[in-house]
Amino acid sequence: MIPYGKQLISKADIDSVVAVLQSDWLTQGPKVPAFEAAIANYCNAQYGIAVNSATSALHIACLALNVSEGDTVWTSPISFVASANCALYCGAKVDFVDIDLATGNMSVSALTDKLISAKQNNCLPKVVIPVHLAGQSCDMKAIYDLSKQYGFKIIEDASHAIGAQYNGNKVGCCEFSDITVFSFHPVKIITSAEGGMAVTNCETLDKKMKRLRSHGITNIAEEMTQPSHGPWYYQQLELGFNYRMTDMQAALGLSQLKQLDNFVSARNDIASKYNHAFVNSGSGIAHLSQSDDCYSSYHLYIVHLTPCDVEKHNSVISGMREQGVIAHLHYIPIHLQPYYQALGFLEGDFPNAETYYKQALTIPLHPTMTADEQQFVINTLIGLV
């Protein structure tokens, strides 16, 4: 079977984790701050906050921006549910902005129209969470300009996009956002087994997220409400969580980071071969459009099957799996999930997202793919379409 995604673990990665296992620290040791600093430096950001998942990073990012009951957060309907759930964890409401069907990313024109209407109805969002689908950045400059006009904060959900670039800068530099979130799940670009990170250029947000990931506790004297009792002393300043990353995970992430640019380059090479094959096939297979100002990390390779009905869509996915290719679909529109429909969302609310779901297909792309495996995927898909 050819999986749609797969981690690549080297001997050096294994050795880095073994070294931690043989050290005095398994968790909350020196590797976590080293990993935070390395990721922040890679992205040209000031601060990094390592946590046990990107979901946790999204949650504490919302809390750090004071998202709470009575607030509304907007995100994309084409994402994993964590992109929306993080706001609900804070007691806020969630709404969605329809996508650009060509890229799968949040539509700037749809966002603009929704903001105009929301201002008229006095219900503007507190935070907008653009999602960099498959590794390509959203149009962050345009979204940032709208944030200045309408007064919302921005969290980039870059779970797919470490190693990507926008306007010549690394995704994660936070030039056009308050916080950027990465995922290090094994199917992502680099892995720490499980894990995530938030990066920011704001010292206040950094300090707050670091407290929130560890029960709301600080041992920094300057943050305390009274003089410290001694080196053992700590204070809980707010209600936080146990979202910490271990030193073992951080060591793996540090080792993987050394290969990040190579991984992204390999993914782009594979994507380029797919693009060439499908453009020249005449088979109605269209890849997601790539913007000239973006360099994608290609976490996923997503195609549209056009024209495509439900029966054909299902038969292609099933047929590929029967032939040993794990085709997948990223994602089911969040607003169509039963939980969100119980909150009042309806089919037809975000038509581009729903059209996307009827056409989209994820095919294997990971650095361990061989040329023969990729050609087999190409031939299998074209043969079924």
Side-chain angles (χ1 to χ4, degrees), residues 150-162:
Y150 290 96
F152 57 85
K153 299 295 186 179
I154 300 172
I155 301 170
E156 293 179 71
D157 186 343
S159 294
H160 296 184
I162 192 163

Side-chain angles (χ1 to χ4, degrees), residues 277-288:
F278 297 138
V279 165
N280 293 317
S281 70
S283 57
I285 303 168
H287 59 81
L288 289 181

Side-chain angles (χ1 to χ4, degrees), residues 220-240:
I220 300 171
E222 292 78 11
E223 296 181 5
M224 294 181 184
T225 60
Q226 63 182 42
S228 174
H229 298 179
W232 66 87
Y233 191 63
Y234 61 86
Q235 289 185 345
Q236 181 182 348
L237 301 181
E238 55 207 317
L239 184 62

